[in-house]
Structure formats: structure tokens, C-alpha cells
Amino acid sequence: MNKWLRENLWRHAFAVFMCIFALFPLYLIVLSSFNPGGSLQLTSFVPRVLSMENYKMLFSSPKIPFLSWVKNSLIISSAVALSSVVIGAASAFAFSRLKFKGKKFGIQLLLLVQMFPAILALSAVYVIMERVYSFAPSIGLGSQGGLILVYLGGSMGVNIWLLKGFVDSIPAELDEAAKIDGASPVQTYWLIFIPLATPVLAVVCLLSFIGTFNEFIVARLFLVEMSGRTVAVGLQQFIGGQYATNWGAFAAGSILASIPIVIIFLSLQRYIVNGLTAGSVKG
Amino acid sequence: MSSIFRGNFALFLKIAILAGITAILSLLAQSAFASSQIAIGTYLVIAVVVLNFTYFTKVSIPLKFFAPGILFFIAFVIAPIIFTVIMSTYNYQTGNYISKDAAIEQVLIRGVEPDASQTTFDLVSGRSADGSYAVLVSDIANQKFFISTENELTYVETGQLTFNEYGVAITAPGFSVTSVDELATNDAYSKIRYKYSDGYYIIIEAQGVGAVFRQSIAYDAKTDTMKNIQTGQIYVDNKRGNFALEDSPETMLTPGWRAPIWFENYTKLVTDSRVRTPLIKVFIWTIIFATLTVLSTFAFGLLLALALNRKMRGRRIYRSILILPYAMPSIMSILIWAGMFDSEFGAINNLLHTHIAWFSSATFARAAVLLVNLWLGFPYFYLICSGSLQAIPSELLEAAAIDGANPRQVFRRITLPLLLQILSPLLIASFAFNFNNFNLIYLLTGGGPRNTLDGEVAGATDILISYTYQIAFGRNILDFGLASAISVLIFFLVASISFYGLRKSKVMETFG
């Protein structure tokens, strides 16, 4: 018993301590979401009243178009995730499997550009989209269409790079066999590669979805209209702006918006951790 | 299956999709050219040509795969980077934001002066008999009433008018009054200069009020100068995006235009102490912040991985709880922490029974930033470390134990060096990520505390990237030129860090 204590006590103690650290803000936000008051105050660790007021407010208050925020986030994130995987997968296939002039240069360029954090070019993107707005307002600054284009285009470098890593890990024997049997690259792509890669593509698609869902600053700059915002921008403005003290509704909103992301994340955990490792190590 | 990719149907589909895309892009290109966005228009035309060549000829098979990706990549990744570099050589900022032609137009619009007695009139906006924009003006003092368009002024007899209770004429024959709603949406009414008398005209100042002005600035295209008509002063292009008086260059006409100033934004970083001092301060904090974050998240992650690196009760539960901070959308978590650090209503002060104004003190704000980033980051290193610990061959550890090493020695001499070797690229990547961790700083402290009264741009917790954002967007003055110069600087910093990381991993691949 003594030996068990010596060997295991610190392990459990430390793990429990870190678990409390990890859970504290999350517990607090759940608590506040049921608390009709407006702050992230810790009055007691056990809820005294269980009120659904904050949740009701999200869906009924005309000042908080929460549902349209969620809808906007879903539309923008799905559009970006799907199209970036469709476009990116084809490019990644070419960079991974086909031979062509300038391939090495292309890969090095992708690698180099990856290091340029997208946010550094924010003013340039802003100015470019401002100019697009001057002749095509529906895909320029301030429009969701423009935001989708910026996300989609901006994710190309990283996405092609990430997808190329995944494509590299799919054995090449099968498509080599297809090639010997006389299949053209286009046939190999659709008939051999895509069926093989579907699970991987689905994972990348979901990752891209999470990434877009989590994006804040471009959306903040782009979407000015209250009902056109994404969840992230809406909720931030909600606590930062004129409703400074309304943490209860923020808590409820952020819980509702986070749950799907947490579920996706936990179910993809394995791929995400591997992907992050693989990406950087190969990088 | 394969017939789908060969038959007539496939060909039809291909033609239909390409025709659609070609039509859309061509239309966009056309309107881009029409509003003189030459660069964007040209790129769209090139895109159309490339797409059609790629899919209707057999120029290159690989191109069929990556043409759309590359076109997007160039438009939204490469072009902004190039544009950033170009902007960094311009004085691209508020006051010098538009093109030269637009600036000349604006200078002329603003280059007016009121008449000597600063006459104003009550007026009603509408259309004249021939349908052109017009105002019905009431010169109540002189009891004169007239309808004025851009080119014409017609007096109206008092008997033909109807008046409101203030004696302002509101209807006249042949004059149709425009509704308030239309005035609110159509700004053409307020942009026109309505004829008054020799050289003077009426400008609508507010709804229902006009004032008499005359042009005081004129542009001479031949010499590219502006002239004050009344005083005869000549303003010349100062080559820095403004028209200025030759003998007193500080006297400039506004607005200016964006003009190349070459390396001035860069030299400012070094020579101008108002830029250099905060930049150095921010740079030092960025390094400290990124280093401490990597060290703390790695240390806690590793310690946890070590603690849970054996079969023990509750390990799965611990693991699923510990991963939660990583699974939450980070934006939400950061905002929650921001609320917890609130000085009056925040949970942290409740818990500690303190009244600390966390985000008003540089030290406390920095501590808060580091604590929150530890919370956000330790699960990642916990996951990575527990995976890597399992990858270390157990023979090594057993051999060391047989040789008489105690657990601490095994860890220090074998486990840690091996881990560091495996994980060094990830540590470097994490450093590079945190070097640019914009969301954390922006959403938690906004870079503050920052003494805005002193005109301070850099806050105590600002890192390079949030400082850049602050320069570009955060103030009343947008300064894209300077922000771009700092962006380029950051790029070289991050690129060298990452290349160092790459070289490390290459070394590992060779020996591992």
C-alpha cells in the first residue's frame, strides 16, 4: 500500500489538479449559462437557480440574431470546406503523383508561402477586396460571398500542402497498377484515387470546417451587418460592445456553438494529432 | 462507371460548366475594366484563357488537376503577398489612400470657399420641368424665389408659389418635389452644384439648406499643379502624394494620393524613435511570450504525459477531460477567460478574494495572457508527448535500469534528450505559431493596457502581429504602408525560424 501511494499519489494528484484547471472555465461557462445574472461571477460552485432564460433570449430577442449567425457560420464554413477539398485534392494529387516541369519549384513555393501567416497580408486582402467591391459588390468587401472567396483562396496553400501529405501516405501501387492497365491519369484519379482517399478527404474537410468556423479577424473586418455575422464575430461583439455585461447570453450562445465543434474534434482526435505531427515533421 | 468519364454526356457537362465559368469570369472582367481595375480585370481574362486552354486542349494533363487550385492560390495568396511588399513602399494611409486622379477630383470638390457674407438659403430638392436635378430656392431676406439647375437659374413670381409657415416656397409650377425617402437613397441631388450667379453656385449643405460657394482651387493638367484662384498661390506635386506650396512644403491640399516613397517605411522602423521604440518593446515581448508559452505548455504537457504514462485507474477519464481545452473553439475559450479576468465581475478575483484590475496593469495583463495560453496549449503537448513516450523503445530504458540508473537519471539522460530530438520541430512550429498568435492577444487584452492619451499604439501585451494590425486598422488613421513594412519584416523572422526548424527535421530524417 505504501509503495502504491509513493508511486501513484503524485500522478493522481497532478492529474486531478490539471483536470480542475482544464475544467474550471468550462464549468463556469455552463454555470453562467443557467444563471439569469449577467456576469461571469463565481457566487457558488453549485447552481442556486437553474434558469433557461439565457437560452430563451438567444432564440427570441430581436437584438440577437443568434440563429442567423449560426446559419451564416454553417453556410460559410461548409462552402469553404467542401470547395477547398474538391479543388485542393486535385492539386494535391498532381503534386504527389504526376510528373511535370516546375513541380519542385511549385512544392517549394507552397512550403515558403505556408510560412507567411495569412493575417500579415490582411491589409492587402482588404484593399484588393475593396477594389473588387467597386465593380462587383456581391463578391467584394462586406459580402459573405467575398468572405468565402478569401477563405477559400487563402486556405489553398496550406490545404494543398496538408492534402499532399495525406496523398503521399496512400500507397501508390494501386494507381500504378491502373496506369499499367491503360488508365489515363484522369481515370486513375476518379476511379482509383478518390474512392481510396474519401475517408482522408472527409477528415481534411472537417478540419477545414473547424478552422473556418474558428476564424475571427477577417470575418470581423468583412461582415459589418448585424444579421450577416458569423457566430464568432457576433458573440464577441455581443460581449465587447453595447451589451458589455451580458455574459449569461454569451455563455449560452458559446456553449451551443461549441458543442458541435467539440464533438467533431473529439471524434477526429486521432487524425488531428497525427496530422499536426505529420505536417510539421514533414514540413 | 468509366463511361461517365468518356461519353457524350461527360463532354456536354464539361462544356456546360466551362461555358458557365467563362461567362461569369468574362462578365466580371468586363465590369472590372469598366471601373478601371485593370490588374484584376487582366487576371480574370488570363484565368478564362488558362481554364479554356487547359480543359479543351491536351497541353498538359497535370494542369487539368491543379489549374483551379493554382488560380485561387495566385489570386488570394500570392497576389496579397506581392501587394503587401508593394504597399510597404508606398505612403498608403488615411489621407493618402486614393489614386492621384481621384485625389485631384476630391481636392477640386473641397477647393471651394463661401461667398463673403456666407449666404445660406432654404431650399427644396426636386426636378425641373425638363427632368433634371433642381432646387427651389427661397431667398427670404430679399423675397426672391428661383429654380436652379446645374446650368440654369429661373426666377419664379411669388404668386405662382405655395409657401409653408416659415415663408419657404415648397411648390412651383413645373417643379416636382422629390420625396424625403428618395433623397436619402440618391446622393446625386447633394452632389450637384446648382447655378447661382457669376462664378458662384449653391451647394446643398444639409437637407433643405443650401449655401453659396465659389471655386477657389483650379487644376492645371499641363504643369500638374493646383492654383488658388484668388491668391494666385501655386501648389506643386511634392512627389510624396500631396500638392504642397513650394516655399512652405508643410502647407498641403487634402486629400493626397498614394505615392511611392520607396524605403521610407523601412527606414522609419530604424530611424524614427516613435516607431522604433515601441517596435523594439513589442518585439522583445513577442519573443518572451512565445518562448515562455512553448516552455510552459511543453513542461506541463510532458509532466502530465509522464504522470499518466502507465496503466492506472482513471487514465481514460483524465485523458478525455484534459483534451477538452484543446477541443473547444479557441475563440470561445479566450472570450470566456477574458470575462473571468474582469476586475469587477470576474471569477478569478472572486476566487482569490482580490480586486485586481488585471488588464490595466502591464504585469498582470502579461501574466494573464501566459496563463490563458498555458490552458489553451498544454493539452496539445500532453497528447504529443504521450504518443512520443510510447515511441521510445523500452529496451533502451530497461538497459539503463539494468545498468543501475535510477528513474530520475533515466529520464534526464535518455527520455528527455530523445523526446527533445523527436519533438524539436514541433517545439519550433509551436514557437512560430505563438509568435503570430493574433487571436489570443486581440480577444483577451486587445494588446492593452495601452496609454491612448499619449498616442501610444503599442500596448503592453501587443505582439508583433497585433501591433501590425493596430497600425493598419486599429486607430482612426489607417496606415497600410507602415503595417506592410512590418509584415515583411515579420515574414523574414518567421521564415528564418521555420527554415531552422526544417533543417532540424531534415537532419532527423537522415539519422532517424
Side-chain angles (χ1 to χ4, degrees), chain A residues 42 119 130 214 220 276 283, chain B residues 97 326 331 350 442 465 502:
Chain A
L42 186 72
I119 195 173
E130 201 175 49
N214 245 328
R220 164 79 200 281
L276 288 173
Chain B
Y97 194 74
Y326 193 43
I331 292 186
N350 283 176
Y442 184 78
I465 196 139
L502 267 183

Side-chain angles (χ1 to χ4, degrees), chain B residues 87-106:
Chain B
M87 279 205 302
S88 73
T89 64
Y90 274 70
N91 65 342
Y92 212 127
Q93 56 182 322
T94 303
N96 295 77
Y97 194 74
I98 49 185
S99 68
K100 187 169 181 181
D101 290 339
I104 290 172
E105 200 185 314
Q106 284 296 319

Side-chain angles (χ1 to χ4, degrees), chain A residues 212-230:
Chain A
T212 315
F213 196 90
N214 245 328
E215 204 288 325
F216 173 76
I217 196 62
V218 182
R220 164 79 200 281
L221 273 183
F222 261 67
L223 304 175
V224 188
E225 241 173 81
M226 187 72 169
S227 61
R229 286 175 183 158
T230 58

Side-chain angles (χ1 to χ4, degrees), chain B residues 53-61 64:
Chain B
F53 254 98
T54 306
Y55 294 105
F56 281 128
T57 67
K58 289 191 171 150
V59 189
S60 152
I61 287 173
K64 285 182 203 274

Side-chain angles (χ1 to χ4, degrees), chain A residues 135-136 138-139 149, chain B residues 16-32 41 44-45 47-48 51-52:
Chain A
F135 64 88
S138 59
I139 56 165
L149 279 179
Chain B
I17 292 176
L18 266 174
I21 292 175
T22 304
I24 294 171
L25 292 183
S26 311
L27 263 176
L28 282 174
Q30 200 188 1
S31 36
L44 289 168
V45 170
V48 169
L51 285 174
N52 280 292

Side-chain angles (χ1 to χ4, degrees), chain A residues 128-228:
Chain A
I128 291 175
M129 293 313 276
E130 201 175 49
R131 292 180 183 180
V132 171
Y133 176 84
S134 72
F135 64 88
S138 59
I139 56 165
L141 196 67
S143 69
Q144 292 186 6
L147 188 62
I148 291 176
L149 279 179
V150 169
Y151 283 155
L152 179 59
S155 72
M156 271 309 145
V158 183
N159 251 353
I160 295 178
W161 185 252
L162 191 67
L163 279 161
K164 183 187 163 294
F166 279 115
V167 175
D168 286 342
S169 69
I170 296 173
E173 282 82 13
L174 276 172
D175 45 88
E176 271 158 21
K179 198 171 157 191
I180 292 168
D181 286 348
S184 72
V186 178
Q187 284 172 324
T188 313
Y189 179 73
W190 286 109
L191 302 176
I192 310 287
F193 172 73
I194 287 292
L196 268 178
T198 306
V200 165
L201 296 182
V203 171
V204 176
C205 186
L206 286 170
L207 287 182
S208 162
F209 182 90
I210 295 180
T212 315
F213 196 90
N214 245 328
E215 204 288 325
F216 173 76
I217 196 62
V218 182
R220 164 79 200 281
L221 273 183
F222 261 67
L223 304 175
V224 188
E225 241 173 81
M226 187 72 169
S227 61

